[in-house]
Amino acid sequence: MGESSKRRFLSGLVPNLVLAVFSITCIFPAIWLFYSSLKGKAEFYANPISLPHSPNFQQYIAILTKSKILLWMGNTIRNSVLSLAIILILGFIIGYFLSRFRFKGKNALYNYYLLGMLVPIHALMVPMYVLFTKTGMGDQWYTLILPYAAFGLPISIFLVESYVRSIPIEVEEAANIDGCSFHRTLFRIVLPMCQPILVTVGIIQFFIVWNEFTFALILISKETLMTVPVGITLFKGQFVTDYPKMMASMLIAIFPAMALYFAFSKQIIKGMVAGSVKG
């Protein structure tokens, strides 16, 4: 090995080692979560890090048959689907109008929407709780859909507005010359062209809604309306916590999100890169 080859090897060794250590720290918690869910409670407390001596799936069977996790997952899926529909539809329409039209107060309106990305959720916990309690909108099947849609709209509008600006206006002008109405141009031509960024927004917001905990904790008290993140906390008792059962429920809860990410990971990267280009 020549001197230059040695230098190249050593210069690449340190970054690769750093990335390898970083990757292990990211992957190991998920692996530990899985094999710990195959332990019994006594075995876990004896040695939380060791591998299970006799792996079993009793924790999963107990959770699926004796808990309400399937009901909680149904609630979470309903909240995710309905809030995503609102976020994507309104985000696309508002983002398009802010990108293509010029009107008085446009910049103020655009900045108003962007303020939603700057307001921390925890600063609104008390006002949201008081508002939903006084109006009777708490503990309803639609309770969580409203704040999820409201907090998801700013990023959706921002990304769609940036993406639409990268689409040549000549495409819409050609459609108008061919006799397309405004609505047909918007939903038959522009909407399909915005598919990459809309898919990206949808997946990102799905992860946020699926894992959301704060509003689900303070606005919902009925066990039948709880979401998965809040429902999992019921496995924690006053004096003792069944960690293997909690870990098994966590794996069941995160499986849909992981499957969705691996299925659309390339689409997420493509949409984020495309959304960063402005014409």
Side-chain angles (χ1 to χ4, degrees):
M1 183 181 293
E3 190 66 28
S4 60
S5 299
K6 286 183 179 180
R7 281 199 295 267
R8 285 197 300 269
F9 174 77
L10 293 175
S11 63
L13 180 62
V14 174
N16 287 330
L17 286 176
V18 173
L19 291 175
V21 172
F22 179 75
S23 300
I24 292 172
T25 59
C26 293
I27 296 173
F28 178 74
I31 298 174
W32 176 71
L33 193 69
F34 173 69
Y35 72 71
S36 295
S37 68
L38 303 178
K39 295 181 179 181
K41 189 189 299 184
E43 185 181 0
F44 178 84
Y45 280 109
N47 192 341
I49 303 298
S50 66
L51 294 171
H53 297 297
S54 55
N56 65 82
F57 292 89
Q58 294 301 318
Q59 305 292 352
Y60 293 91
I61 296 174
I63 290 170
L64 293 174
T65 57
K66 297 180 181 180
S67 73
K68 293 184 175 66
I69 192 167
L70 295 179
L71 177 62
W72 299 334
M73 290 187 72
N75 295 335
T76 308
I77 292 173
R78 181 195 61 221
N79 295 335
S80 302
V81 171
L82 295 180
S83 60
L84 282 179
I86 297 173
I87 291 171
L88 293 178
I89 294 173
L90 293 183
F92 168 70
I93 295 175
I94 297 174
Y96 174 83
F97 273 85
L98 289 175
S99 176
R100 287 292 192 246
F101 290 87
R102 301 290 181 265
F103 53 90
K104 187 176 181 180
K106 171 194 167 181
N107 291 334
L109 182 62
Y110 181 69
N111 292 330
Y112 172 77
Y113 283 121
L114 294 189
L115 280 176
M117 295 191 294
L118 304 178
V119 179
I121 292 178
H122 299 87
L124 300 176
M125 289 175 60
V126 174
M128 290 288 288
Y129 175 78
V130 173
L131 174 65
F132 276 73
T133 302
K134 294 298 183 181
T135 57
M137 292 193 299
D139 274 330
Q140 304 293 335
W141 68 267
Y142 56 82
T143 297
L144 297 175
I145 298 173
L146 303 176
Y148 290 169
F151 279 92
L153 269 176
I155 185 65
S156 176
I157 293 171
F158 173 74
L159 291 177
V160 171
E161 192 271 345
S162 300
Y163 189 86
V164 171
R165 275 204 263 171
S166 68
I167 299 175
I169 189 66
E170 290 79 12
V171 174
E172 299 168 50
E173 293 174 347
N176 293 330
I177 294 173
D178 291 338
C180 285
S181 63
F182 173 76
H183 294 87
R184 188 174 181 181
T185 301
L186 180 62
F187 292 106
R188 294 291 184 89
I189 297 177
V190 180
L191 181 59
M193 297 178 70
C194 292
Q195 180 182 351
I197 198 64
L198 291 177
V199 171
T200 301
V201 171
I203 295 174
I204 293 175
Q205 291 301 319
F206 175 82
F207 292 149
I208 294 174
V209 172
W210 186 270
N211 297 312
E212 201 281 325
F213 182 82
T214 304
F215 287 137
L217 177 65
I218 65 174
L219 299 180
I220 297 293
S221 59
K222 293 180 181 178
E223 189 174 338
T224 55
L225 294 175
M226 287 181 177
T227 59
V228 173
V230 177
I232 290 175
T233 62
L234 298 181
F235 294 114
K236 183 179 184 300
Q238 183 178 1
F239 301 105
V240 66
T241 301
D242 192 343
Y243 285 109
K245 186 176 290 185
M246 182 177 288
M247 291 177 176
S249 63
M250 289 179 183
L251 284 174
I252 295 174
I254 66 178
F255 178 77
M258 290 179 61
L260 187 69
Y261 175 79
F262 285 119
F264 293 97
S265 58
K266 292 183 179 179
Q267 189 69 45
I268 295 175
I269 298 173
K270 179 181 177 181
M272 292 301 293
V273 172
S276 63
V277 178
K278 293 186 179 183

